Amino acid sequence: MNIIFFDKDASQETIDKNVDNLRIAQLNLSDFNERMSKNYDLVCKFTNDNPRFFLKQELKYPENTNTITSQINWLLMWKREINDRNYFKIFFNDIARDFEEINRYNSPYIQKDNVYYKIVEDLKKRYTDYAPLGFLDKSDENYIKEEINKKFLQQID
């Protein structure tokens, strides 16, 4: 679906001021839905003329943790504050949290099971050749893709 719904109190003026942010949200939602074979929509609410996104679908734990909405909200904040590549470390820390679940299986006492293989498959789908869309230049996109591959994807057997 990839639809963004607006809170009923959103004025057209506020929506117009945020066209660039809405475009970024739409690009990243579409990319996520395509990569993960999902069909999520977003609800956009404005606070002090700044957008905040929520999933339209009501999800139950664990799917509602670290969802595409939290990533989009973070990307928009990042876009406002980005000043150099050191800021990317925060982005990689978020991916590292996803990767931690895989690392738990790197013990001789834990047998890799179907849960492990599903987590690996999802991580690969989500992050193979991935960079946030809509606000990075090509060299930064390439840098992110290379770092994700080097730091995470190559570590998966």
Side-chain angles (χ1 to χ4, degrees):
M1 299 276 266
N2 302 319
I3 298 171
I4 298 177
F5 297 90
F6 294 101
D7 189 34
K8 63 183 176 192
D9 298 331
S11 71
Q12 188 60 48
E13 180 183 355
T14 301
I15 293 169
D16 292 344
K17 280 190 222 176
N18 283 281
V19 163
D20 191 44
N21 289 331
L22 297 170
R23 181 185 58 80
I24 290 169
Q26 181 69 47
L27 284 170
N28 286 282
L29 173 66
S30 296
D31 180 64
F32 177 84
N33 279 342
E34 185 177 320
R35 285 175 184 276
M36 303 305 293
S37 301
K38 300 291 183 183
N39 202 17
Y40 294 151
D41 299 316
L42 300 177
V43 174
C44 178
K45 298 179 181 189
F46 293 96
T47 305
N48 298 328
D49 289 342
N50 291 313
R52 183 108 177 121
F53 294 94
F54 303 88
L55 280 178
K56 184 174 185 293
Q57 291 80 357
E58 300 253 345
L59 299 177
K60 304 293 182 229
Y61 181 83
E63 280 193 46
N64 65 349
T65 59
N66 196 18
T67 64
I68 184 60
T69 57
S70 61
Q71 187 177 29
I72 288 172
N73 290 328
W74 188 85
L75 291 175
L76 294 177
M77 185 177 69
W78 179 21
K79 181 189 123 222
R80 288 192 302 263
E81 297 178 11
I82 194 169
N83 51 13
D84 60 34
R85 284 193 173 170
N86 283 331
Y87 205 77
F88 293 170
K89 288 179 183 176
I90 298 168
F91 178 71
F92 295 130
N93 285 341
D94 285 349
I95 298 171
R97 279 196 293 279
D98 288 345
F99 193 72
E100 281 175 15
E101 202 166 353
I102 290 170
N103 275 338
R104 289 187 196 122
Y105 284 88
N106 290 332
S107 163
Y109 306 107
I110 299 176
Q111 184 177 355
K112 293 179 177 156
D113 57 10
N114 289 340
V115 172
Y116 168 81
Y117 294 111
K118 174 75 170 124
I119 295 167
V120 167
E121 178 187 341
D122 286 349
L123 188 93
K124 285 180 177 179
K125 279 197 292 188
R126 187 168 185 180
Y127 292 115
T128 298
D129 201 32
Y130 170 76
L133 301 174
F135 65 95
L136 297 172
D137 62 34
K138 198 67 172 162
S139 68
D140 285 342
E141 283 182 13
N142 289 336
Y143 170 75
I144 286 175
K145 290 175 184 181
E146 290 167 10
E147 288 295 302
I148 289 172
N149 189 47
K150 184 171 45 177
K151 291 179 180 193
F152 305 105
L153 298 177
Q154 288 181 357
Q155 308 304 317
I156 302 171
D157 54 4

